[in-house]
Amino acid sequence: MPATAAPAAVKGDRRTCVSTLDRRSRRVTRLEKDEKRLVELARSGNVDAFGEIYECHSPGVYNLVYRMLGNREDAEDVKQEVFIRVHRALGSFKGDARFSTWLYRIAANVCLDHIRRRKPTVSSEVLKEESQWEAPDGGASGDPQRQLDSKLTQEAVQAALQIMPPHYRILMVLRHIEGLSYEEISQVLGCPVTSLNVRLHRAREAFRKAVEPLLPTDEESDSGLQKGPETHLAVY
Amino acid sequence: MDCKRVQKLISLYTDGLLPERKRADAEAHLGACPSCAAQHKRMLRALDSFTVLERVSPRPGGWERLRDRLEAREQPSIVPAWRRAWGWAAAGAAVAAVLGLALLFGPNADRTAERAPAPVAPERGFVTLNPDASLPGTVVVPDSGPGSSADPSAVPTGPAGSALSGTQTAAASASSVRPKRASGNPRTVSAKPGRDVRSGAGQAGPGSLAHVPGMEPDPESAAHVELADAHEGVGDAAADLVSSGLSPLVAAARADADPVEWLYDIRTEDWL
């Protein structure tokens, strides 16, 4: 009797799903409680507590900042600036949103502020600066052609992000690199979720137009011809 | 579902956030429309490139560097104190300079005339109503005559108790409020009723017209009228602020925050 068996299976799956979600949400809640306690301690002047917060969030913030700026030195400086501002503003954190969302909001603001102040450069040198990688030696680490493709794709993505307007770039980084949900992005950027759909669509279109000419085509990959970000690009 | 509708929803569709019914509609359209399907495929390929991105890691020792910076910020120092004081002093000087310039060159510079002692009325001077002027609040500013005061802007505009008659005082008071040139000589200027809060323009009702013949026009006074005309472009909001006693530059800044917007946006940190 498939008509009765199917609901039972669905019910069972759902129960498993719910229990998994419960476990996950309990873990998240525990982490958030720990984080809340750390924030309270850091707010009261405990440097070690702030150090723990730093160690926990530093890689994420650095990744976000690096993808926004495309330069390791700038990213290191801006990341430090972000945490200095976080330390200064800990007293104003009300706990309405998650701490990481609040932190990303500060990081996004510092990044956009840095980009505004920085003069736009028209050169591919900035892009080449980051492409300090060694050519695959064809060792045991895998297919060299695949490695090369992967490396070129990474360069193409970073180059495409750099030629995008910053307000689109931050959307792409938050959504596709940091993996934030629509609600979290709206909290980070302070915009309503309803308008986020349209903005994200435009950002994706801008990214597609920027990255398409830079991505290696299938024919190029097969023939060994590679197309990197050699063209002169306006970098924001 | 048409192409335009699908384009609007394609992001939500890509993220799997569309309700089931709309998702089915979008899928049906993408299956039937080669153009939208191709565009969607290209979008997916572009977004797939994110999957190969590796996370970059910060340099080690970041916390030690940050802790040093935080501790350096918390240590008291003499230098920040005087630098902070210098910042406040510089900010104050900038504010004073702007306000001084505004008072010096603004139309409210004729306030000195209001504070000047009332001149003695000319021997042959008399006050008449101007039959040509019919607009409410339209006044005729008396021209200077020989032997009279060289500055016609010194027409008494003070409160009651001035040497001139009540009508003349009211008319002169009205003339001090953002005058607008309406004709040549005698200079007929109009003031918007209800704009003056300083000199009792409410007394200058309809028909409160004055004319003092035999007084020569003064170029300085004409310049004043032109200056006032220049400030006509400030806008009504700024005009209201001007009439409340603010200098025009400050009023313009408060109205559309353009000329000295930076002044209000200064943070103390920027000076340090």
Side-chain angles (χ1 to χ4, degrees), chain A residues 67 182 201 204 208 212 216, chain B residues 10-11 15 42 45 54:
Chain A
R67 294 301 174 194
Y182 278 46
H201 176 63
R204 283 170 170 167
R208 181 184 63 79
E212 263 182 356
Chain B
I10 200 73
S11 260
D15 289 330
R42 287 165 66 191
R45 182 171 184 261
E54 294 165 2

Side-chain angles (χ1 to χ4, degrees), chain B residues 39-78:
Chain B
Q39 197 174 350
H40 184 233
K41 194 177 171 187
R42 287 165 66 191
M43 173 72 77
L44 287 181
R45 182 171 184 261
L47 295 182
D48 270 350
S49 59
F50 279 108
T51 57
V52 301
L53 274 191
E54 294 165 2
R55 288 187 81 82
V56 287
S57 300
R59 281 187 311 188
W63 167 240
E64 285 73 22
R65 288 193 299 277
L66 180 67
R67 191 176 54 196
D68 290 347
R69 286 182 69 179
L70 291 175
E71 283 173 355
R73 287 176 67 87
E74 285 172 1
Q75 282 175 356
S77 168
I78 299 171

Side-chain angles (χ1 to χ4, degrees), chain B residues 103-183:
Chain B
L103 289 173
L104 195 62
F105 296 110
N108 289 336
D110 66 345
R111 282 183 193 162
T112 52
E114 296 173 21
R115 288 193 292 272
V120 179
E123 285 180 7
R124 292 185 297 139
F126 55 92
V127 177
T128 59
L129 294 178
N130 185 355
D132 297 332
S134 58
L135 291 173
T138 302
V139 297
V140 180
V141 175
D143 290 335
S144 304
S148 68
S149 169
D151 185 8
S153 65
V155 169
T157 59
S162 137
L164 297 181
S165 68
T167 307
Q168 197 175 4
T169 304
S173 299
S175 72
S176 70
V177 184
R178 299 180 65 247
K180 182 193 288 182
R181 186 185 299 174
S183 65

Side-chain angles (χ1 to χ4, degrees), chain A residues 47 50-51 54-55 58-60 62-63 66-67 72 76 79-81 83-84 87-88 153-154 157 172 175-178 182 197 200-201 204-205 207-208 211-212 215-216, chain B residues 7-12 14-15 17 39 42-43 45-50 52-59 61-67 69-71 73-74 267 269-270:
Chain A
V47 181
F50 190 68
Y54 176 88
E55 295 297 347
S58 170
Y62 180 77
N63 200 51
Y66 171 71
R67 294 301 174 194
R72 285 182 188 272
E76 196 67 46
K79 185 199 73 177
Q80 298 287 83
E81 178 64 26
F83 278 99
I84 285 174
H87 185 261
R88 200 189 302 161
T153 305
Q154 289 196 47
V157 170
M172 297 303 287
R175 177 68 187 158
H176 292 287
I177 297 179
E178 296 303 316
Y182 278 46
N197 175 33
L200 193 57
H201 176 63
R204 283 170 170 167
E205 274 297 314
F207 176 75
R208 181 184 63 79
V211 81
E212 263 182 356
L215 285 176
Chain B
Q7 293 300 323
K8 274 188 177 177
L9 298 175
I10 200 73
S11 260
L12 290 173
T14 306
D15 289 330
L17 296 175
Q39 197 174 350
R42 287 165 66 191
M43 173 72 77
R45 182 171 184 261
L47 295 182
D48 270 350
S49 59
F50 279 108
V52 301
L53 274 191
E54 294 165 2
R55 288 187 81 82
V56 287
S57 300
R59 281 187 311 188
W63 167 240
E64 285 73 22
R65 288 193 299 277
L66 180 67
R67 191 176 54 196
R69 286 182 69 179
L70 291 175
E71 283 173 355
R73 287 176 67 87
E74 285 172 1
R267 290 177 303 179
E269 297 166 5
D270 295 336

Side-chain angles (χ1 to χ4, degrees), chain B residues 81-106:
Chain B
W82 70 259
R83 282 182 71 185
R84 198 177 300 120
W86 171 247
W88 280 110
V95 170
V98 170
L99 289 179
L101 284 172
L103 289 173
L104 195 62
F105 296 110

Side-chain angles (χ1 to χ4, degrees), chain A residues 133-185:
Chain A
W133 58 282
E134 294 176 2
D137 55 0
S141 55
D143 180 15
Q145 185 60 47
R146 187 173 291 178
Q147 282 186 359
L148 189 62
D149 281 350
S150 168
K151 201 70 201 177
L152 286 171
T153 305
Q154 289 196 47
E155 285 181 17
V157 170
Q158 188 62 44
L161 285 173
Q162 293 308 303
I163 60 178
M164 284 176 74
H167 59 284
Y168 285 160
R169 195 187 315 163
I170 186 73
L171 276 172
M172 297 303 287
V173 171
L174 290 176
R175 177 68 187 158
H176 292 287
I177 297 179
E178 296 303 316
L180 267 59
S181 68
Y182 278 46
E183 286 77 16
E184 287 168 330
I185 295 174

